[in-house]
């Protein structure tokens, strides 16, 4: 017979664990910002708040108050999390001015200051949601309009313009200047890839896996506000998918699949030479290299060598290649994982990807056929099993 003592009741063992899990939820996940980004945030807030206060004081003269405390909260968003939807220009200006206007109105028409402040914040949140300008520091501005003292009360609706509008605009201008000077993308915008052929079909990368419509449906089903742009969330999910793909299929590099015996044309050659090469080798495009260093300087295609309507097929008879070539051409490095080429070669419509060295010298070419063959080769498939 077993002498193992009976287990204690589940309520005795499970309850502390539930309490620990509940208390652990009070602590947020660690901030993923690098030390450099944290330093930028601190420096930006210091410079912006100092400059805004100094400019406001000299611009508004003896005006009182010339600077309001909620600008400190705005600085946290503008310089610590500039990619947040709550920190975008319309959120800052629209949210602050709307809250100031509602706060002054509630202070004037509701006798009880406590009720006036609570209603001002509640109405501000509701209208900010409606007008897509949610900005948390605006709640403090609404309260300031009610409890700001005689100076704010005397200003009335003038408080909306001075100091709220002046402070907000100065802070925003400084944020625009600082964030862009230190290499941040602000305002935080996203350029979605367009269909390369000008058709209504979505880009190839959006025809498989999850789509934007799927992402929108999931976010709508959650029903709660997330402090991240939908485009950023999509970008993160796509990047995570690419990372998982590399883990499963191996990290095949461009140097392993590129063609080294290349057909190229020099920028100083005649158009007729390029046309002859395209026809002889049955190619759609040729990389263009500099005459001496073989540096990649452009790309020339069949379409570039036609005059007028491409459908007529009238060939150019004179000129040199550099006059008709496309100069803005993407390229890859020899050690770059091939999975990173998928976006440019599918959504971007590039059928030929040049591979260059550190000096921009052309060392290889990758076609869509090369990429497809590499992704389907048995060695990479075996890595999954």
């Amino acid at each position: 017979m077993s002498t193992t003592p009976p287990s204690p009741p589940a309520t005795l063992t499970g309850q502390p664990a539930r309490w620990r899990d509940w208390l652990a939820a009070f602590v947020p996940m660690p901030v993923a910002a690098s030390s450099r980004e944290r330093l930028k945030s601190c420096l930006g807030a210091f410079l912006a708040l100092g400059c805004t206060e100094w400019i406001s004081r000299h611009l508004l003269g003896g005006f009182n108050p010339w600077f309001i405390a909620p600008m400190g909260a705005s600085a946290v968003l503008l310089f610590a999390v500039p990619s947040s939807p709550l920190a975008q220009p319309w959120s800052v200006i629209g949210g602050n001015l709307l809250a100031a206007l509602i706060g002054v109105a509630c202070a004037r028409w509701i006798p009880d200051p406590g009720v006036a402040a609570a209603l001002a914040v509640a109405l501000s949140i509701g209208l900010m949601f409606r007008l897509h300008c949610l900005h948390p520091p605006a709640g403090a501005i609404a309260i300031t309009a009610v409890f700001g003292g005689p100076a704010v009360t005397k200003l009335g609706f003038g408080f909306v313009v001075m100091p709220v509008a002046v402070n907000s605009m100065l802070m925003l201008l400084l944020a625009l200047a600082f964030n862009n000077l230190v290499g941040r993308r602000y305002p935080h915008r996203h350029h979605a890839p367009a269909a390369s052929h000008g058709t209504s079909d979505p880009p190839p990368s959006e025809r498989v896996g999850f789509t934007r419509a799927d992402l929108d449906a999931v976010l709508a089903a959650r029903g709660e506000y997330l402090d991240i742009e939908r485009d950023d969330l999509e970008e993160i999910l796509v990047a995570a998918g690419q990372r998982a793909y590399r883990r499963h299929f191996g990290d095949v590099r461009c140097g392993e699949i590129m063609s080294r015996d290349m057909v190229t044309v020099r920028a100083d050659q005649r158009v007729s030479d390029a046309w002859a090469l395209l026809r002889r080798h049955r190619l759609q495009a040729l990389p263009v290299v500099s005459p001496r260093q073989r540096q990649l300087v452009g790309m020339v295609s069949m379409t570039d060598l036609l005059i007028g309507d491409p459908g007529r097929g009238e060939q150019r008879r004179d000129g040199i290649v550099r006059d008709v070539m496309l100069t803005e051409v993407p390229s890859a490095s020899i050690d770059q994982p091939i999975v990173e080429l998928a976006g440019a070669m599918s959504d971007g419509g590039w059928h030929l990807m040049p591979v260059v060295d550190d000096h921009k010298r052309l060392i290889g070419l990758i076609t869509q056929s090369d990429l497809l063959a590499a992704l389907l080769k048995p060695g990479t498939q075996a890595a999954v099993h």
Side-chain angles (χ1 to χ4, degrees), residues 70 73-74 77 84-87 91-92 95-96 99 121 125 128 133-142 225 227:
S74 291
L77 288 170
S84 167
L86 309 178
S91 299
V92 177
N96 285 349
V121 174
I125 292 174
M128 284 189 290
C133 57
L134 193 65
H135 187 58
I141 290 179
Y225 184 85
D227 189 13

Side-chain angles (χ1 to χ4, degrees), residues 21-336:
D21 293 341
W22 185 74
L23 291 174
F26 281 62
V27 182
M29 294 291 291
V31 177
S34 64
S35 299
R36 186 173 183 178
E37 280 299 308
R38 297 180 190 190
L39 180 61
K40 289 179 183 178
S41 301
C42 296
L43 180 60
F46 171 75
L47 293 175
L49 287 171
C51 291
T52 300
E53 189 279 332
W54 186 87
I55 295 172
S56 297
R57 176 156 39 92
H58 286 77
L59 181 65
L60 302 178
F63 188 84
N64 188 31
W66 69 83
F67 191 63
I68 51 176
M71 290 299 104
S74 291
V76 174
L77 288 170
L78 286 168
F79 298 98
V81 283
S83 62
S84 167
L86 309 178
Q88 301 314 298
W90 170 237
S91 299
V92 177
I93 299 299
N96 285 349
L97 296 188
L98 184 66
L101 185 64
I102 294 174
V104 171
C106 289
R108 299 190 90 182
W109 298 328
I110 300 177
D112 188 321
V115 175
L119 185 60
V121 174
L123 289 175
S124 297
I125 292 174
L127 285 176
M128 284 189 290
F129 267 124
R130 183 70 177 175
L131 299 177
H132 308 289
C133 57
L134 193 65
H135 187 58
I141 290 179
I143 292 180
T144 302
V146 177
F147 290 110
V152 174
T153 303
K154 183 179 178 181
L155 290 173
F157 286 102
F159 175 73
V160 179
V161 179
M162 294 187 299
V164 174
V166 173
N167 286 178
S168 300
M169 188 60 70
L170 286 172
M171 183 72 71
L172 177 59
L173 291 174
L174 291 165
L176 286 166
F178 179 85
N179 284 324
N180 284 281
L181 281 174
V182 298
R184 290 171 167 175
R185 187 176 57 181
Y186 186 80
H188 199 66
R189 55 201 178 276
H190 178 81
H191 301 289
S196 58
H197 300 291
T199 62
S200 60
D201 286 332
S205 63
E206 294 185 11
R207 301 176 199 169
V208 294
F210 76 89
T211 65
R212 291 190 176 188
D214 296 328
L215 186 58
D216 289 340
V218 172
L219 292 175
R222 287 181 64 94
E224 59 182 304
Y225 184 85
L226 298 180
D227 189 13
I228 183 172
E229 292 279 3
R230 185 202 66 174
D231 291 335
D232 290 336
L233 181 57
E234 181 184 11
E235 199 173 278
I236 291 169
L237 291 173
V238 170
Q242 290 181 346
R243 186 178 180 87
Y245 190 94
R246 287 197 296 267
R247 185 176 69 253
H248 286 294
F249 285 87
D251 224 358
V252 181
R253 307 284 172 165
C254 292
E256 299 176 48
I257 69 167
M258 70 182 188
S259 301
R260 298 174 186 270
D261 184 14
M262 301 168 286
V263 180
T264 63
V265 64
R266 298 192 314 272
D268 60 348
Q269 284 186 259
R270 299 187 64 80
V271 165
S272 56
D273 296 333
W275 181 271
L277 288 170
L278 288 168
R279 293 290 299 272
R280 184 187 313 152
H281 296 279
R282 292 185 294 179
L283 301 172
Q284 293 297 318
L286 286 173
V288 183
V289 296
S290 60
R292 295 183 180 179
Q293 301 298 326
R294 289 191 59 80
Q295 290 179 320
L296 180 69
V297 294
M299 191 85 71
V300 64
S301 67
M302 280 282 191
T303 304
D304 298 325
L305 302 184
L306 299 176
I307 301 174
D309 182 7
R312 295 171 55 191
E314 185 179 350
Q315 179 194 345
R316 293 178 183 269
R317 299 295 179 182
D318 54 7
I320 56 176
V321 172
R322 72 161 54 91
D323 295 332
V324 298
M325 69 181 185
L326 184 65
T327 56
E328 295 184 5
V329 179
S331 62
S333 64
I334 193 170
D335 294 323
Q336 189 172 349

